[in-house]
Amino acid sequence: QLVYPYDFRLTEKEKTSICYLSFPDSYSGGLGDTQFSFRLRQSGGQRTAHYEDGGEYNREAPLTLQRETAHYFGYVYFRQVKDSSMKRGYFQKSLVLVSRLPYVNLFQSLLQLIAPEYFDKLEPCLEAVCNEIDQWPPPVPGQTLNLPVMGVVIQVRIPSRVDKPGSSPVKQFNQENLLPAPLVLPSVHELDLFRCFQPVLIHIQMLWELMLLGEPIVVMAPSPTVSSEMVLALTSCLAPLRYCCDYRPYFTIHDSEFKEYTTRTQAPPNIVVGVTNPFFIKTLQHWPHILRVGELRMSGDLPKQVKVKKLAKLKTLDTKPGIYTSYKTFLHKDKTLIKRLLKGIQRKRPSEVQSALLRRHLLELTQSFIIPLEHYIASLMPLQRAITPWKNPPQIRPFRQEDFMKTLEHAGPQLTCVLKGDWLGLYRRFFKSPNFDGWYRQRHKEMTQKLEALHLEAICEADIVAWMKDKSEVEIVDLVLKLREKLVRARCQHLPVKEETLQRVGLYIETIIGSLPEDLQAVLHHH
């Protein structure tokens, strides 16, 4: 019915997709308000919004909270109430917030404030809210923001790449003694993991492995709320490692990718998809891992844990909750985690404490797995003394899987993790996954930039005048052009180089040009 701000351009295809994704697509007799999320592939060419920060946010934010380039997130507040004046006897409407940022907590909390007002007062309410949001500061990683909206101030800290993984957000809140006291969100994006994973706590190990390996998974849930929370919980359980595959927290049969995902002519894609329509039990039967969950209810004891079942047991419509897969885990189950969580349930520990335990466990698991890889890749960097000013910097040595495997005997995950099992098999399988590819590319890029930076510093410390003594004009001009190119690249790619280093290289260039004959000087200055 309405897009606000008016100048926000969406293609017709995107609008249609958003409409379908904004309503529960399976019959739910539930009345009242529900919230859920979806993720949508951008269509109709690249329309990367021009952010004023020139990519600075993505350089400073954790890899798991990057601004998406080819997808939108949709955060939905859906209301269904009896209304005799409506043709269908019900009032049904959704307010959807669309963003490229995965800040599920912040945006869902914002919708809780805006949506009830909007259903009541309609468009003027949105106009007022948009005017307020326009005044918000941009999200700067590491900063705590106060965000005023509708008489409330939301206070939240934007995580940064330099935060220590697993550290809880610093409680530096409310120094300004804001009145009224702000609505403090403990995190922009973290879900209540304990609540989301309740029915599968004893299978956390298996789910972590499936996510690490980028396996195709279907989450079948009774509602978009359960489906989207489960999918987002799954994609978050590899942090600080970035989950590099596609994921759809909520997916409907009207989706433009429906054919692509349900075809049987090729293997299912590396994707986690959340669905609620029972029709999918039939169309996605050939997927290797299907997690079927019921309604999430917080209760005082350990909820009924689902069982692992054979895929052949997948019945249409009356399928019982369970993990339908023939996957055998590489690592053995961790009994201590379950014991600790059970103790927490008996002692009525708050959900956020249980979630913190769970998150810490997953973090330690991921770190035990990734630290040997980090050590090995760091050893591929050329030695600093091999970097000389007048030669191109040496190459990073290639990643050899077998060489890496040899390092595991004395420096493998067993140093930091008590879990026994086939770690080598898990690494071998990981090398074939998009998550390894994404991790390796990111590291390789960072190392290449580090080499460039070290090279610039070496140039800075060199005696350029001595070098020029026995060089021909051609060689000197060549050097000027090369140095200039380096300088431009350092600025464009925001290499980790001190500003003074860049200025000194700039002065060098001027000095060298100054020593050349005037006709050459003119040509180079003209360049």
Side-chain angles (χ1 to χ4, degrees):
Q1 279 184 342
L2 178 72
V3 176
Y4 230 96
Y6 293 127
D7 55 0
F8 185 65
R9 291 273 161 264
L10 286 167
T11 63
E12 284 311 308
K13 191 174 173 187
E14 284 164 345
K15 280 185 191 163
T16 310
S17 296
I18 290 172
C19 289
Y20 280 124
L21 288 164
S22 305
F23 286 92
D25 79 337
S26 53
Y27 169 74
S28 62
L31 292 175
D33 296 358
T34 48
Q35 289 181 264
F36 56 92
S37 320
F38 61 79
R39 185 166 168 271
L40 168 78
R41 192 186 288 176
Q42 187 178 299
S43 70
Q46 282 307 79
R47 287 192 309 284
T48 21
H50 296 291
Y51 298 108
E52 290 77 55
D53 71 354
E56 197 171 338
Y57 171 81
N58 274 2
R59 283 194 299 281
E60 292 175 12
L63 293 171
T64 49
L65 289 181
Q66 303 260 298
R67 197 179 256 134
E68 291 264 2
T69 49
H71 291 84
Y72 291 119
F73 291 98
Y75 303 98
V76 183
Y77 191 107
F78 169 69
R79 172 169 288 184
Q80 173 165 299
V81 283
K82 278 205 158 82
D83 181 345
S84 51
S85 69
M86 296 281 181
K87 200 160 68 190
R88 303 173 64 170
Y90 286 104
F91 168 91
Q92 289 175 311
K93 203 168 224 181
S94 284
L95 182 64
V96 186
L97 190 153
V98 177
S99 170
R100 292 177 184 276
L101 291 165
Y103 292 171
V104 57
N105 270 3
L106 172 61
F107 292 139
Q108 290 291 14
S109 306
L110 182 60
L111 282 173
Q112 278 167 18
L113 296 170
I114 304 170
E117 278 289 297
Y118 166 70
F119 292 134
D120 193 28
K121 304 201 171 71
L122 301 174
E123 202 170 330
C125 157
L126 283 192
E127 190 167 356
V129 164
C130 284
N131 286 336
E132 287 188 287
I133 294 176
D134 273 345
Q135 307 302 312
W136 288 5
V140 177
Q143 282 191 8
T144 296
L145 306 181
N146 292 313
L147 309 171
V149 63
M150 292 178 53
V152 181
V153 173
I154 302 176
Q155 193 172 70
V156 73
R157 181 180 178 277
I158 306 294
S160 150
R161 202 175 288 193
V162 295
D163 295 345
K164 211 166 120 282
S167 60
S168 54
V170 207
K171 296 271 184 284
Q172 83 273 48
F173 286 135
N174 204 7
Q175 313 107 326
E176 306 96 282
N177 294 327
L178 295 168
L179 286 170
L183 168 65
V184 177
L185 299 184
S187 157
V188 274
H189 68 292
E190 284 181 352
L191 297 161
D192 183 340
L193 271 197
F194 179 64
R195 203 187 51 133
C196 297
F197 282 150
Q198 271 200 96
V200 294
L201 289 170
I202 60 172
H203 307 296
I204 270 309
Q205 192 70 39
M206 175 191 265
L207 292 170
W208 176 83
E209 284 187 24
L210 291 174
M211 294 306 291
L212 180 74
L213 301 173
E215 285 286 310
I217 301 176
V218 184
V219 173
M220 292 185 174
S223 69
T225 309
V226 177
S227 114
S228 58
E229 289 200 338
M230 182 62 94
V231 171
L232 292 175
L234 286 169
T235 55
S236 76
C237 72
L238 297 181
L241 188 67
R242 183 179 186 173
Y243 176 71
C244 297
C245 309
D246 199 354
Y247 59 99
R248 297 302 154 90
Y250 172 52
F251 187 76
T252 75
I253 53 177
H254 304 286
D255 209 285
S256 51
E257 278 102 69
F258 178 75
K259 281 204 175 59
E260 192 181 318
Y261 295 163
T262 50
T263 170
R264 302 198 174 208
T265 51
Q266 61 221 54
N270 301 85
I271 176 174
V272 180
V273 41
V275 300
T276 62
N277 192 326
F279 179 70
F280 279 108
I281 296 178
K282 232 188 178 105
T283 52
L284 296 177
Q285 252 171 354
H286 60 297
W287 279 46
H289 319 285
I290 295 178
L291 167 59
R292 169 88 178 189
V293 284
E295 276 299 347
L296 293 181
R297 289 192 181 80
M298 278 304 255
S299 55
D301 43 2
L302 184 69
K304 196 166 165 216
Q305 296 294 293
V306 307
K307 294 188 171 63
V308 174
K309 305 177 178 183
K310 296 205 169 46
L311 277 160
K313 288 238 168 30
L314 210 56
K315 299 233 187 21
T316 340
L317 296 174
D318 62 339
T319 302
K320 304 255 179 308
I323 300 180
Y324 294 83
T325 178
S326 55
Y327 181 80
K328 298 280 172 280
T329 55
F330 286 91
L331 306 179
H332 305 319
K333 245 185 209 150
D334 184 357
K335 303 256 168 47
T336 48
L337 173 72
I338 295 299
K339 284 185 186 138
R340 285 169 75 187
L341 291 171
L342 272 172
K343 195 179 276 178
I345 290 172
Q346 285 151 8
R347 295 190 177 160
K348 306 220 180 329
R349 242 187 244 141
S351 188
E352 55 268 25
V353 179
Q354 297 277 67
S355 281
L357 267 174
L358 202 48
R359 200 169 266 116
R360 164 93 29 87
H361 168 79
L362 290 164
L363 172 72
E364 285 169 1
L365 198 53
T366 300
Q367 284 180 323
S368 298
F369 183 80
I370 221 77
I371 284 168
L373 283 162
E374 297 283 4
H375 280 318
Y376 173 70
I377 203 167
S379 74
L380 304 177
M381 188 81 167
L383 295 172
Q384 197 141 358
R385 62 164 184 270
I387 300 169
T388 57
W390 315 120
K391 277 209 210 75
N392 278 334
Q395 295 284 304
I396 298 163
R397 289 196 298 288
F399 189 107
R400 294 207 166 88
Q401 294 178 10
E402 290 314 310
D403 291 354
F404 165 71
M405 294 302 216
K406 285 183 199 126
T407 67
L408 293 175
E409 282 161 44
H410 48 88
Q414 69 279 5
L415 297 181
T416 50
C417 188
V418 291
L419 282 189
K420 299 278 177 282
D422 180 11
W423 285 96
L424 295 178
L426 188 59
Y427 281 113
R428 283 217 162 82
R429 186 94 172 251
F430 176 67
F431 289 142
K432 299 191 180 88
S433 85
N435 291 327
F436 169 69
D437 190 52
W439 170 82
Y440 175 73
R441 277 194 226 202
Q442 174 69 25
R443 284 292 172 269
H444 198 272
K445 181 175 137 194
E446 287 165 7
M447 285 160 70
T448 310
Q449 293 186 342
K450 179 84 181 125
L451 268 180
E452 280 272 301
L454 289 169
H455 193 218
L456 276 169
E457 272 153 29
I459 291 171
C460 242
E461 274 141 39
D463 183 347
I464 209 144
V465 180
W467 177 84
M468 279 165 53
K469 282 214 173 75
D470 54 348
K471 298 293 181 288
S472 68
E473 279 175 8
V474 173
E475 287 172 290
I476 292 173
V477 169
D478 189 47
L479 176 71
V480 168
L481 297 175
K482 271 204 182 112
L483 286 181
R484 268 199 188 152
E485 192 192 344
K486 273 190 169 306
L487 213 48
V488 168
R489 206 164 48 228
R491 294 221 188 271
C492 289
Q493 294 181 359
H494 302 272
L495 293 185
V497 191
K498 293 192 214 48
E499 183 53 40
E500 56 192 319
T501 305
L502 296 178
Q503 285 174 352
R504 277 177 64 185
V505 174
L507 278 173
Y508 268 14
I509 294 174
E510 291 309 311
T511 313
I512 304 171
I513 292 178
S515 71
L516 291 166
E518 280 184 8
D519 55 340
L520 271 178
Q521 282 191 36
V523 171
L524 285 169
H525 278 307
H526 183 65
H527 251 289

